[in-house]
Amino acid sequence: MSADDTVEGDDRLRLFLALELPASVVEGLVAWGKRYLVDGRPVSSFHVTLAFLGSRPREALEPIRRILREEAAVTEPFRLEPVRYRETRSVGMLVLADPSGRATLFADRLQRRLEDAGVYQREARPWLPHVTVLRFRERPRMSPPLPEIGPFAPSGAAALLSRLQQSGAQYEVLESCSLSVFHRD
């Protein structure tokens, strides 16, 4: 069954776009989480959200996927690196450095084009590259050491469907695309 088959009967889809993480980074985050994230509910699906679109009509999916493919194709390679652990009122996250600024440019271009297409409204605050690693009802106020995963290049970019369940959101990749690899002369 294809990803398109899973959304066929749905009139509205809860969508977001994200950077995918390499398997070695995911493995490192899982091991780190088991050791240091003792309070709350560790996350089982890791990604870096580029734009949360929320509930959108099904017919908006193809233009969203097209914008993702086009912007991913012209994005120069970049690396991200964990720089600190941070807690908000409901999640724990690893904030990532974007030394080249290319991830931020990619997110900005995507968000601008999605907004121009009428399927997204930007948040007032600037985009913060991060990986959510923990969810909780009450802030545990932890300060774990950073995971030893080092700088990494995302393995791709994806359009994801988010389905809310009692156990938390379940994500399904609807489309995954490679980030461009530029060769300079």
Side-chain angles (χ1 to χ4, degrees):
M1 177 161 57
S2 75
D4 286 335
D5 292 337
T6 67
V7 299
E8 187 148 327
D10 298 336
D11 290 334
R12 297 196 64 83
L13 307 172
R14 191 169 186 260
L15 302 171
F16 68 98
L17 304 180
L19 295 171
E20 298 174 298
L21 306 183
S24 61
V25 170
V26 171
E27 290 165 8
L29 291 175
V30 168
W32 171 81
K34 285 180 181 175
R35 182 167 182 188
Y36 295 107
L37 303 180
V38 294
D39 294 321
R41 192 176 74 237
V43 171
S44 60
S45 176
F46 300 104
H47 57 269
V48 177
T49 301
L50 293 162
F52 180 75
L53 290 88
S55 179
R56 295 286 158 230
R58 186 182 185 293
E59 52 274 3
L61 180 58
E62 189 47 43
I64 291 166
R65 291 164 76 169
R66 180 180 42 76
I67 290 168
L68 176 66
R69 286 190 301 268
E70 290 171 359
E71 291 303 329
V74 297
T75 296
E76 292 189 59
F78 57 85
R79 298 175 79 71
L80 300 169
E81 182 175 11
V83 290
R84 74 180 193 274
Y85 173 81
R86 174 181 176 216
E87 291 177 358
T88 67
R89 63 179 171 75
S90 60
V91 301
M93 66 178 71
L94 289 171
V95 176
L96 306 172
D98 175 21
S100 70
R102 292 179 186 144
T104 302
L105 289 173
F106 178 40
D108 183 62
R109 287 193 325 267
L110 263 177
Q111 292 172 7
R112 188 172 352 101
R113 287 197 58 200
L114 292 165
E115 198 168 47
D116 290 348
V119 296
Y120 180 70
Q121 183 174 352
R122 288 185 199 226
E123 295 182 25
R125 62 182 181 232
W127 179 72
L128 177 68
H130 69 278
V131 177
T132 299
V133 294
L134 186 68
R135 296 190 184 284
F136 43 77
R137 291 187 193 275
E138 188 174 316
R139 276 178 83 171
R141 302 197 185 281
M142 295 187 294
S143 33
L146 291 176
E148 296 180 13
I149 57 175
F152 64 91
S155 56
L160 294 103
L161 174 66
S162 173
R163 294 185 194 268
L164 298 178
Q165 310 286 331
Q166 260 189 330
S167 59
Q170 300 295 312
Y171 307 127
E172 180 181 344
V173 174
L174 298 176
E175 178 155 345
S176 183
C177 51
S178 298
L179 297 171
S180 174
V181 177
F182 278 68
H183 299 284
R184 297 190 179 185
D185 297 317

